[in-house]
């Protein structure tokens, strides 16, 4: 959130840009009236408020990045500038667990379970056994990204419903 205050009654000129290798001008306005044409990818998605705030409807992953706003009240007054970083997260879809094989010999083999999801950013995986968090056991190992659970030296007591959650 960026805020500015002024005692001037003049209408501000507000300019927003997305900072990339080459800055991308998003919108310039006189108060809340947008000047010129918007880039096609922002048409119908941008609103400028009198206080300089920018509202982007229907956020897309491509909207993520560093934004800069410049606000000028008069030609002879200094321009105020501020930057902020926008992160766009996509909700995580329901995960699917896939078993590596359908038959496992007790004590002599291992079984691998893979958890995957189609959509979402920054997923955090949690494994459950019988609906409860997986208890610490040296035979249970998780991949570094927590997506794969391997149970070594399988026992009869390992027979249960395994599931994963993704947040």
């Amino acid at each position: 959130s960026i805020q500015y205050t002024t005692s001037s009654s003049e209408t501000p000129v507000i300019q927003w840009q997305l900072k990339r290798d080459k800055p991308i001008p998003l919108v310039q306005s006189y108060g809340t009236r947008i000047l010129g044409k918007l880039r096609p990818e922002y048409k119908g998605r941008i609103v400028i408020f009198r206080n300089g705030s920018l509202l982007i409807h229907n956020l897309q992953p491509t909207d993520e990045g560093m934004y800069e706003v410049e606000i000028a009240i008069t030609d002879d007054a200094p321009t105020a500038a501020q930057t902020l970083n926008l992160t766009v997260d996509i909700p995580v879809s329901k995960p699917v667990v896939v078993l590596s094989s359908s038959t496992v010999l007790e004590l002599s083999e291992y079984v691998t379970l893979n958890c995957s999801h189609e959509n979402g950013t920054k997923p955090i995986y949690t494994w459950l056994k019988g609906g409860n968090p997986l208890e610490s056991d040296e035979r249970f190992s998780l991949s570094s990204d927590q997506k794969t659970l391997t149970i070594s030296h399988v026992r009869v007591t390992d027979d249960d419903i395994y599931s994963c959650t993704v947040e």
Side-chain angles (χ1 to χ4, degrees):
S1 172
I2 294 176
Q3 299 177 8
Y4 86 101
T5 56
T6 180
S7 57
S8 174
S9 60
E10 293 190 41
T11 302
V13 174
I14 303 164
Q15 182 173 325
W16 280 91
Q17 63 182 355
L18 179 56
K19 304 292 271 183
R20 298 273 196 242
D21 292 335
K22 181 179 177 188
I24 301 169
L26 293 183
V27 63
Q28 185 171 12
S29 69
Y30 181 69
T32 59
R33 185 170 53 90
I34 293 175
L35 304 173
K37 291 185 177 182
L38 289 175
R39 299 175 68 84
E41 63 268 31
Y42 294 102
K43 200 167 191 144
R45 297 178 50 218
I46 286 186
V47 177
I48 296 284
F49 294 96
R50 173 124 175 93
N51 68 357
S53 296
L54 171 71
L55 174 64
I56 304 173
H57 290 283
N58 190 25
L59 281 175
Q60 306 294 320
T62 55
D63 294 329
E64 187 166 286
M66 188 68 67
Y67 286 78
E68 181 180 69
V69 61
E70 290 182 357
I71 301 172
I73 304 298
T74 61
D75 289 338
D76 58 346
T79 299
Q82 185 69 42
T83 60
L84 68 91
N85 190 41
L86 174 67
T87 302
V88 179
D89 291 329
I90 299 171
V92 177
S93 61
K94 185 176 179 179
V96 175
V97 176
V98 177
L99 180 63
S100 62
S101 67
S102 58
T103 59
V104 178
L105 298 176
E106 186 181 6
L107 296 176
S108 63
E109 293 192 27
Y110 66 91
V111 64
T112 300
L113 302 166
N114 292 302
C115 182
S116 62
H117 70 287
E118 288 187 21
N119 300 315
T121 53
K122 302 177 186 132
I124 299 172
Y125 296 88
T126 304
W127 283 93
L128 306 172
K129 177 182 177 186
N132 297 310
L134 198 61
E135 292 182 14
S136 180
D137 187 317
E138 61 200 26
R139 297 176 308 107
F140 296 168
S141 63
L142 294 170
S143 60
S144 60
D145 60 6
Q146 309 288 299
K147 290 172 70 170
T148 304
L149 168 64
T150 302
I151 305 170
S152 58
H153 306 294
V154 176
R155 300 177 184 161
V156 173
T157 56
D158 295 327
D159 186 22
D160 211 327
I161 296 174
Y162 290 83
S163 58
C164 78
T165 61
V166 184
E167 299 174 22

